[in-house]
Each structure stands twice: as structure tokens, then as C-alpha cells.
Amino acid sequence: MGYPFTLEEESRGMVQKVVELCSFEKLSNLEVNKTGKYDLMDKFEIENRSFFRKGTVGDWKNYLTPEMAARFDQISEQKWKASGLSFNVTSS
């Protein structure tokens, strides 16, 4: 991070390879993420697959209240403000 790809790396397709290796599809289908477990302070065991969701548009409504979503939007907008990105979110 913080270092651009060289022209040689780009011409060899390295950018696309990194994108593919980091894709949701690739990561969620790794065997460790399907069957592995994460120990939380040696008290709780969480299955790694719990960290991946379906990725269905609007599915957040099944997990977050409108208040939680508004707070998430507020925090996200504050954190990304310096980047120059703007959030023009409309409710659906």
C-alpha cells in the first residue's frame, strides 16, 4: 500500500491478479473461511464464515435499524470527508 504498480507489473497483469485474489468470491470460498474458527479472548469461538455476508443489495435492513444505519452513514461521511468523496444517499 502506498506504492503504485510499475509499468512492468501492470503489463504482466499484476493489478488484475491482486483484484482477483482479494475478491469477495475468492476470500469467502477459501477452505479456512468455510471451516475455520476464530477464538475471541479464549472465551468465544466464532466461525470464520460469520465474517462474510451474502452481499445482497439492501440486506443491511435485516441487520440494522434505521437509527443504526443513520449513525453508520454519519460516521462514514465524517471519516471519508478528507478524501473529497461525497455521499448523496437517498432512502429507498
Side-chain angles (χ1 to χ4, degrees):
M1 290 184 42
Y3 298 96
F5 288 94
T6 65
L7 292 176
E8 180 186 345
E9 289 170 327
E10 287 184 31
S11 68
R12 290 190 357 230
M14 295 303 292
V15 176
Q16 187 59 35
K17 288 179 184 177
V18 169
V19 169
E20 290 169 7
L21 286 171
C22 296
S23 71
F24 177 83
E25 176 101 22
K26 177 74 171 180
L27 293 174
S28 62
N29 285 317
L30 290 174
E31 191 61 31
V32 68
N33 291 328
K34 290 180 177 179
T35 59
K37 297 184 191 289
Y38 175 74
D39 287 322
L40 183 62
M41 299 183 291
D42 293 325
K43 295 184 181 193
F44 303 100
E45 201 171 74
I46 302 170
E47 292 186 14
N48 288 347
R49 66 183 179 166
S50 300
F51 295 106
F52 296 95
R53 294 188 41 230
K54 294 178 276 189
T56 304
V57 174
D59 191 45
W60 63 268
K61 295 176 185 175
N62 294 318
Y63 299 90
L64 302 177
T65 65
E67 294 80 17
M68 292 166 70
R71 180 71 176 133
F72 182 85
D73 288 344
Q74 180 186 33
I75 292 169
S76 298
E77 191 167 354
Q78 287 173 349
K79 298 285 184 185
W80 287 94
K81 190 174 187 176
S83 73
L85 292 174
S86 62
F87 292 86
N88 297 320
V89 180
T90 58
S91 58
S92 53

